[in-house]
Every structure is written in structure tokens, then in C-alpha cells.
Amino acid sequence: MSSVKDVAHGSRRNAYTALILSTLAMIVCFMSWSNFAPLASQVAEMFHLDVSQRTLLLATPVLLGSIMRIPVGILSDRYGGKKVYLILMAFILIPLIMIPHVHSFGMLLFAALLVGMSGTSFAVGVSYASVWFPPEQQGLALGIVSMGNMGNAVAAMTLPYISKAAGFDSVYYFLILLTVIFGVLFAIFCKEMPVDKSKTISGALSVAKDSGTWYLSLFYFLTFGLFVAFTNLTPTFLTGMFHYTPVTAGLYSALFAFVCTLVRPVGGYMADKKRPMTLLQWVFIAIIIFAIWIMLSFHNQFMFIAGIVLVGLSAGIGNGVVFKMVPYVSKGNTGAVTGFVGAVGGLGGFFPPLIIGYIYQWTGSYELGIALLALTGIICWFALWKHYIHGDVHIVK
């Protein structure tokens, strides 16, 4: 970020404050969004859940957090990301207060659905942070703010320890405290982003007519969906197959999430320098190879964990590359495009745990579920190759 003149709106200080606090607030929101994954074994024991119920619980927050990214992203563009972020953090407190007091699986699922709203923080954060930086710096800037995904890893590392040391309810009191603290910090130190009051909802929804929105959504369905699904499923894999304790399995889940998240700005920076679509082609090839690797290594602990890390690296770079292109699809509608792309990407994290859970119930094996990941990678690669690599379509020239 080179000079004050390089910042799209306002001072460099406003830009960096927006970037830093958007990222930190997203980390806190993503901790709530993924709170059940590192506690899955404990929750399954408390509520007597089978594998399919357990995977349904893990997938439920992803559903609302994905679908609602579209309206939340549009509202951020229209009314300002700061206002929307503060309302969102206030809303998240409701399910966090509910969870320690529910006593049935049905009510737990309802609370899980509501806490899914925390996943919409991604659409708000990207919309809010992007306006402060010029196009040639947005790949890196959006890669940094998207590191808010690290909240999944932070949750995996901290929540099992808190639950073990202070009890299950303490996990949610901790999340409530963090949410309040960062809501206050955001309210005090962040400036509201410039907004175009003449924008209409129909104008924002017009991004759905652009094929670029849907191609990026497909690509993000694979890369971000892989991140969410494997962050949630890794503890289940490791406790079920290799008999890890929940705390140790949570640490490996955190490793996966950290790898995915830390390389995301690298992907954005690379896409600032090279043609993004060419980079994505290699990302998809890597995901296909490493998915097959994982599928063949379910009985080898070292190979399995290595495959998880390698597929995480590939997905993280892919996430950064995809979001380099988002602001170019429709000028002034970054929040709307982010909403669509983020929603489909989130659904990529919703379906795999359910499908893998049901396949495991039927077959007693996870391999077929991972084979479907490799197939999705092949579909994305073919769409990219036909439409962009050998086609005439360009998003970023």
C-alpha cells in the first residue's frame, strides 16, 4: 500500500484500520460459525448423536451463513459495511446465549442455524475493506481480510481446551465476550465506508446476469467449500479412524485451517502479478491430485495428514486467486458479487459433510465421498479450460 493517494477513499490510516479490524472481527465471527466442529465428539455424546446427525449439525450453520451472504453483501454496499457488521455481531449474541441452555437436538439445530449468520461476516468484510484500496492492490488486501477464515483454526485450537478446563458452557461465554469486545472496537475505531445512495436492490442483483459471477461461484464452491468441509470433518476423520483425542484432532483441524488461510494472501498477491485464470488451472489440478492422494491414504496416518495439508495449501491459494477477480465483475457492486460467490462457496462447505456422513452410514467408508471431491475438481478444471483458458472470456485482462 504505497501512498495516501493510492487509497481509493479516505486516508491510509482509515484503510489500514478497516483492513485490520475487518480481519479480526471476521476471525471472531468465524470462531462462532465453526464452534461445533472442534466440540463434535463432546456434543455427540451429550445429545446421543449418530454420524449422520453429527454431520448435519456441522453443516447446518454453513447453510444460513452461505445463503444470507447475498442479501448481507448487498446491504453492505447500499448502507455501509460498518453498520451491517455491528448489527451482525449483535445478532450473533442471540444463538451464543441460547446454546448453553438447549436440551434437545432439535433446539440445538435451530441455534446452529442462527449462529450460521456469523458466516455472512465474509461478505461484509470484503465489501467494507475493498473500497479503501485501488484495484492493483486489491488482490493482496482482499487476501489479507479473507484471513478472517482463520477463525476456524482459532476455534479448533482454543475451544476444546476451554471446554475441558472450564466446561461446555464456558465456550459460549468466551465467544460472547470476544464478540462484544470486537463489536465495541469496530464501533469506536472504524469509519463508515463511502456508499452510493442511488443504488437499488435490483441493480445489485443484476450481477446475477453476469456469467463471471457464476463461474467464480463455481470455482469458489470447490476451493472455499473444501476449506469449510475439511476444517469441520478433520476432527471426525481423526477421532473415528485413528482414535485421536478431541483436543489433538482439533489441533490438526486448526493446522489445516491455518494452512488454507495463511496462503490465501499469497494467492491474491500472485494473482496481482500473473493471469489469475492460469493460476487457477494449476490449483484445480493440484486439488484433484491431492484428493486422490487422501482417498488412497485412509489407512495410513502420515499420508492422510500430509494429504490434508497439501490440499489445504491448494485450496487456500485458490481462494486468494478467485477473490482477486471479484471486484472486476461489476464495478461498485463488490458486496453483491461477494455475496453470490461467497454463498455458493459456503454451500460447497454445507453439502460435503452431509454427503460424506450419509455415504459413511451406507458403506462404512469415507473413500467414495472424497472421490466426489476429485470429480468436482475435474468439473471446475474443465469449465475453466473451456470458458477462459481456451475461450475469449476475460475478467481480469
Side-chain angles (χ1 to χ4, degrees), residues 230 242 285-311 313-314 367 370-371 373-374:
F230 269 65
F242 301 114
I285 291 171
I287 288 174
I288 295 165
I289 291 171
F290 295 134
I292 295 171
W293 175 324
I294 292 170
M295 186 174 62
L296 299 175
S297 64
F298 270 96
H299 302 290
N300 185 310
Q301 178 179 317
F302 173 78
M303 294 292 287
F304 178 80
I305 292 173
I308 290 287
V309 171
L310 290 169
V311 84
L313 278 169
S314 305
E367 281 85 345
I370 303 300
L373 168 62

Side-chain angles (χ1 to χ4, degrees), residues 79-97:
Y79 296 105
K82 178 179 177 178
K83 296 183 189 72
V84 175
Y85 228 147
L86 292 175
I87 293 170
L88 174 62
M89 284 187 271
F91 179 87
I92 293 168
L93 295 175
I94 297 171
L96 292 178
I97 292 169

Side-chain angles (χ1 to χ4, degrees), residues 18 22-23 26 76 81 85 120-130 142 145:
S22 289
T23 305
M26 197 188 300
S76 296
Y85 228 147
T120 66
S121 60
F122 182 81
V124 189
V126 170
S127 172
Y128 179 67
S130 66
L142 294 182
V145 75

